[in-house]
């Protein structure tokens, strides 16, 4: 599935790379552009795969339709169809669990705690909540794994609920369709079935394979790791987070590997920490949530983007069709409430291209009076990914209303355009 996509997109091809820092150098050089590395420890590697253009192409839509498509699909998540197709198992080779040390799993940066799986979709199941699919960084040790679990996320909730019974079944799938990655990066209600959502995103049933050593069904990725999350804890980290800065070391749960499978000629997906792919996969699923939250108070919202400069997490730009004075400020407040990690938000009119930083800056330069249009909120709960956050986890948040005041003559603000007609 991922191989078909790779063949259909424009990409940079590189003959070979070392998995220790070599993959990183190449992916950083071409950050945001898909890169296919033909040989890393005898394996093929794809990186920078999921930019906005590739995700849109994989879903058969345009980039400008991504937010509305995701929102529509999230609202129809229960309609997703999952089909077990165990015939796909014949495509896989069983490896000894220690063979994972020969896989092309990168060491990205000099201070990393070791090789890290960064694109693995982690799948667990709970008898009350159902299936959960999510993405977490996973440190590879000699014969086991250590997984970073953020306390507020659903995986941690399911783990703490079930670990008292001894161990928690888990599967990690590497090299999946972008729709599965996008779905796994989406935060819904704890009963939200990410795999069904992926099916709706794709517009077709999602095939699954029954695992051999754990009670789970998983999408047919390039690599499948089955295992048990245990009560045992080990140090995880240091590791680079979305801001490109190092996260701290913590005690995190150990995963015991029970089965290791790969396709005969698998393609490993290396997701660069702090790269554009990392930012897009984290931020893109938040845009429909912000859009929906803003739409509740400003129905004429047009589009939302979490910007790359703001790590696709801390900064948003929102375009609206302004109809009443105050729409801009209401949009700011709704956006901050919809995505609590948001730190700064700019609201613009719908003649501004929110994907063009120069256009957004133009709106700020020509349509903003700071004493009237800048909103500052002190002492709000901030994002743990922001290195400037205060010790008590609070931060100041800011909104800029860069829309044209309805008290002004709109014609004074509209940029001239040359007629397309010939003179």
């Amino acid at each position: 599935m991922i191989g078909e996509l790779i063949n259909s997109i424009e990409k940079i091809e590189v003959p070979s790379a070392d998995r220790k820092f070599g993959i990183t150098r190449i992916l950083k050089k071409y950050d945001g552009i898909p890169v296919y590395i033909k040989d890393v420890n005898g394996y093929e590697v794809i990186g920078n795969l999921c930019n906005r253009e590739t995700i849109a192409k994989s879903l058969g839509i345009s980039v400008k339709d991504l937010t509305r498509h995701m929102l529509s699909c999230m609202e129809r998540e229960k309609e997703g169809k999952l089909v077990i197709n165990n015939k796909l198992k014949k495509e896989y080779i069983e490896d000894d669990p220690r063979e994972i040390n020969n896989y092309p799993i990168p060491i990205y940066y000099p201070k990393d705690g070791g090789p890290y799986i960064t694109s693995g979709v982690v799948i667990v199941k709970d008898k009350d909540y159902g299936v959960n699919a999510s993405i977490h960084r996973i440190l590879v040790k000699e014969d086991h794994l250590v997984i970073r679990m953020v306390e507020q996320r659903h995986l941690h909730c399911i783990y703490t609920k079930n670990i008292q019974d001894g161990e928690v079944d888990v599967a990690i799938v590497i090299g999946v369709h972008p729709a599965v990655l996008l779905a796994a990066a989406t935060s819904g209600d704890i009963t939200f079935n990410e795999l069904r959502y992926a099916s709706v995103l794709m517009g077709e049933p999602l095939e699954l394979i029954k695992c051999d050593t754990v009670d789970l069904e998983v999408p047919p990725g390039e690599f499948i790791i089955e295992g048990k999350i245990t009560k045992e804890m080990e140090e995880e980290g240091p590791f680079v987070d979305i801001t490109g800065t190092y996260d701290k070391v913590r005690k995190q749960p150990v995963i015991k590997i029970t089965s290791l499978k790969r396709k005969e000629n698998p393609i490993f997906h290396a997701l660069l920490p702090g790269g554009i792919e990392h930012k897009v996969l984290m931020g893109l699923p938040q845009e429909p949530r912000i859009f929906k939250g803003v739409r509740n108070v400003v129905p004429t919202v047009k589009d939302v983007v979490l910007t790359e400069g703001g790590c696709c997490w801390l900064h948003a730009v929102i375009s609206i069709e302004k109809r009443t004075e105050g729409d801009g400020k209401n949009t700011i407040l709704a956006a901050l409430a919809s995505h609590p990690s948001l730190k700064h938000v700019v609201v613009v009119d719908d003649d501004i291209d929110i994907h063009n930083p120069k256009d957004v800056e133009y709106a700020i330069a020509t349509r903003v009076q700071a004493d009237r249009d800048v909103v500052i909120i002190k002492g709000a709960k901030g994002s743990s990914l922001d290195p400037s956050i205060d010790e008590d986890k609070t931060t100041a948040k800011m909104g800029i209303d860069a829309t044209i005041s309805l008290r002004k003559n709109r014609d004074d603000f509209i940029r001239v355009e040359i007629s397309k007609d010939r003179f």
Side-chain angles (χ1 to χ4, degrees):
M1 188 179 289
I2 194 173
E4 294 174 4
L5 176 63
I6 292 169
N7 290 333
S8 70
I9 61 174
E10 294 186 11
K11 56 190 176 294
I12 304 294
E13 294 193 6
V14 178
S16 64
D18 193 318
R19 70 173 185 161
K20 185 175 182 179
F21 312 150
I23 293 175
T24 305
R25 291 189 183 100
I26 293 168
L27 297 187
K28 285 183 75 69
K29 180 179 179 180
Y30 300 107
D31 197 13
I33 303 171
V35 176
Y36 169 63
I37 307 173
K38 296 181 179 179
D39 182 17
V40 179
N41 274 29
Y43 289 91
E44 300 169 42
V45 172
I46 187 72
N48 298 345
L49 177 63
C50 291
N51 56 33
R52 290 177 184 266
E53 290 73 20
T54 302
I55 291 173
K57 181 180 178 64
S58 75
L59 302 180
I61 60 174
S62 65
V63 172
K64 66 181 179 63
D65 291 329
L66 269 173
T67 298
R68 291 179 184 272
H69 180 70
M70 287 186 292
L71 181 55
S72 171
C73 292
M74 287 177 71
E75 293 172 342
R76 296 183 289 112
E77 161 252 332
K78 301 300 182 189
E79 299 176 12
K81 293 179 172 58
L82 306 177
V83 179
I84 306 297
N85 183 2
N86 284 327
K87 292 180 180 179
L88 296 174
K89 283 188 176 183
K90 64 183 181 182
E91 299 178 6
Y92 290 87
I93 296 170
E94 187 84 23
D95 281 336
D96 182 276
R98 288 182 179 271
E99 184 65 20
I100 197 169
N101 296 287
N102 294 320
Y103 287 176
I105 301 171
I107 299 177
Y108 287 99
Y109 298 104
K111 295 181 182 179
D112 288 0
Y116 266 89
I117 296 169
T118 50
S119 67
V121 174
V122 178
I123 299 174
V124 295
K125 187 189 297 182
D126 179 84
K127 61 182 178 63
D128 298 316
Y129 303 137
V131 172
N132 176 263
S134 51
I135 302 173
H136 305 262
R137 68 186 194 228
I138 301 169
L139 175 61
V140 179
K141 295 295 188 77
E142 186 175 347
D143 60 355
H144 63 278
L145 312 172
V146 186
I147 183 168
R148 166 65 174 134
M149 285 192 200
V150 178
E151 286 73 13
Q152 294 80 14
R153 294 185 64 185
H154 295 157
L155 175 62
H156 188 271
C157 175
I158 292 172
Y159 169 75
T160 54
K161 179 173 180 283
N162 292 279
I163 194 60
Q164 304 309 318
D165 297 332
E167 298 174 327
V168 178
D169 285 356
V170 66
I172 302 156
V173 189
I174 304 165
V176 295
H177 190 283
V180 178
L181 282 168
L182 186 62
T186 298
S187 301
D189 176 84
I190 196 168
T191 62
F192 183 83
N193 188 314
E194 291 83 6
L195 298 183
R196 289 191 182 279
Y197 174 46
S199 167
V200 181
L201 283 169
M202 297 165 66
E204 61 185 45
L206 178 63
E207 292 186 317
L208 302 177
I209 301 170
K210 178 73 177 176
C211 291
D212 294 322
T213 62
V214 293
D215 183 23
L216 294 167
E217 297 81 32
V218 301
E222 301 288 299
F223 297 81
I224 301 174
I225 305 169
E226 300 175 19
K228 305 280 187 176
I229 313 178
T230 69
K231 294 180 180 179
E232 185 181 353
M233 297 281 174
E234 284 189 12
E235 287 190 345
E236 183 276 322
F239 197 64
V240 170
D241 220 318
I242 195 171
T243 55
T245 56
Y246 268 102
D247 194 11
K248 64 182 181 181
V249 176
R250 303 174 181 83
K251 292 283 189 179
Q252 296 290 283
V254 168
I255 296 177
K256 178 175 62 178
I257 299 173
T258 57
S259 173
L260 197 62
K261 298 182 182 68
R262 61 176 172 84
K263 291 190 174 180
E264 186 172 354
N265 296 299
I267 303 172
F268 186 87
H269 183 188
L271 197 157
L272 178 68
I276 289 175
E277 182 175 24
H278 184 187
K279 294 171 183 175
V280 167
L281 281 173
M282 273 194 69
L284 190 58
Q286 302 301 323
E287 293 173 4
R289 295 179 64 190
I290 297 171
F291 187 96
K292 185 176 182 179
V294 171
R295 190 175 61 183
N296 286 337
V297 294
V298 182
T300 53
V301 59
K302 295 298 183 181
D303 204 358
V304 174
V305 65
L306 286 160
T307 67
E308 291 177 8
C311 304
C312 292
W313 197 250
L314 302 173
H315 285 184
V317 183
I318 304 172
S319 67
I320 63 172
E321 181 186 342
K322 187 172 181 177
R323 293 187 176 177
T324 62
E325 207 65 66
D327 280 353
K329 290 185 175 62
N330 281 352
T331 297
I332 290 168
L333 297 174
L336 292 173
S338 301
H339 179 43
S341 292
L342 198 58
K343 186 177 180 182
H344 301 142
V345 56
V346 180
V347 183
V348 298
D349 297 288
D350 56 0
D351 68 315
I352 298 295
D353 179 2
I354 65 173
H355 296 277
N356 183 342
K358 291 181 180 179
D359 225 27
V360 175
E361 186 177 355
Y362 171 83
I364 296 172
T366 63
R367 302 177 184 184
V368 172
Q369 289 296 312
D371 61 338
R372 181 191 66 205
D373 298 320
V374 177
V375 177
I376 296 177
I377 301 170
K378 297 180 180 180
K381 183 181 179 182
S383 170
S384 61
L385 299 177
D386 177 7
S388 73
I389 197 171
D390 290 337
E391 291 182 4
D392 61 359
K393 307 300 182 185
T394 62
T395 188
K397 300 194 174 190
M398 180 177 69
I400 300 175
D401 180 2
T403 60
I404 299 169
S405 171
L406 298 180
R407 302 183 187 95
K408 302 285 188 178
N409 182 358
R410 183 177 177 84
D411 289 342
D412 293 340
F413 294 86
I414 302 303
R415 290 166 288 183
V416 65
E417 291 184 359
I418 192 167
S419 173
K420 295 180 181 179
D421 297 330
R422 297 186 66 179
F423 292 101

